[in-house]
Amino acid sequence: MLRVKRVYTPPEDTDGIRVLVDRLWPRGLSKEAARLDAWLREVAPSPELRKWFNHEPDKFAAFAERYEAELAREPAAGEMARIWQWAESGRPVTLLYAAKDEQHNHAVVLQGALMRWRTGSGSDGRDSSR
């Protein structure tokens, strides 16, 4: 199970494996308070894409398309495989992000891309049996 949650929301036991998927550390949050199991910077959008998007909802569809193209390349693709290894362990995996907008953010796009990638319907054509 893949969940998406703001990193500022208090951790819960049901979060399972807590993975920060932002390139930058969240402002004002201590590492102890975050209770992370991993910080995967390489799966976050590139700095150029993040700056272009600027969390503007009207750019979200174009952002999602560009971000998914980035996810198909290394090292992001390798990090996606790592996330699926954790998910296949039977524990929930919670993708954590710092953005304020809970609907228009890269973690939502990443969650969808992971689900499609794992079922073999990803845009990069990966074999889901790997």
Side-chain angles (χ1 to χ4, degrees):
M1 177 185 291
L2 284 173
R3 301 173 181 173
V4 175
K5 183 176 183 178
R6 282 195 80 217
V7 71
Y8 297 106
T9 304
E12 299 172 315
D13 292 339
T14 57
D15 289 343
I17 300 170
R18 293 174 51 85
V19 183
L20 180 62
V21 294
D22 281 354
R23 197 167 296 269
L24 304 173
W25 186 259
R27 291 180 189 184
L29 186 68
S30 71
K31 291 185 179 183
E32 294 77 27
R35 282 189 24 204
L36 298 181
D37 294 295
W39 180 12
L40 302 183
R41 295 173 186 92
E42 297 299 328
V43 79
S46 66
E48 297 80 16
L49 181 57
R50 181 179 52 82
K51 288 174 186 173
W52 172 82
F53 174 46
N54 197 34
H55 299 285
E56 297 175 30
D58 59 323
K59 292 183 178 178
F60 188 69
F63 165 78
E65 186 176 314
R66 293 176 187 185
Y67 178 40
E68 286 201 39
E70 288 185 356
L71 290 170
R73 298 187 298 266
E74 290 298 336
E79 297 291 24
M80 289 176 63
R82 189 172 171 194
I83 293 168
W84 267 113
Q85 286 176 341
W86 291 326
E88 288 175 339
S89 75
R91 289 181 63 198
V93 176
T94 302
L95 306 175
L96 301 166
Y97 65 95
K100 291 179 184 177
D101 189 330
E102 296 182 7
Q103 295 177 351
H104 303 100
N105 67 71
H106 72 283
V108 171
V109 177
L110 175 59
Q111 179 187 36
L114 279 161
M115 298 302 289
R116 286 188 301 282
W117 179 75
R118 184 62 186 129
T119 61
S121 61
S123 60
D124 64 354
R126 286 179 179 266
D127 177 2
S128 65
S129 64
R130 286 194 247 173

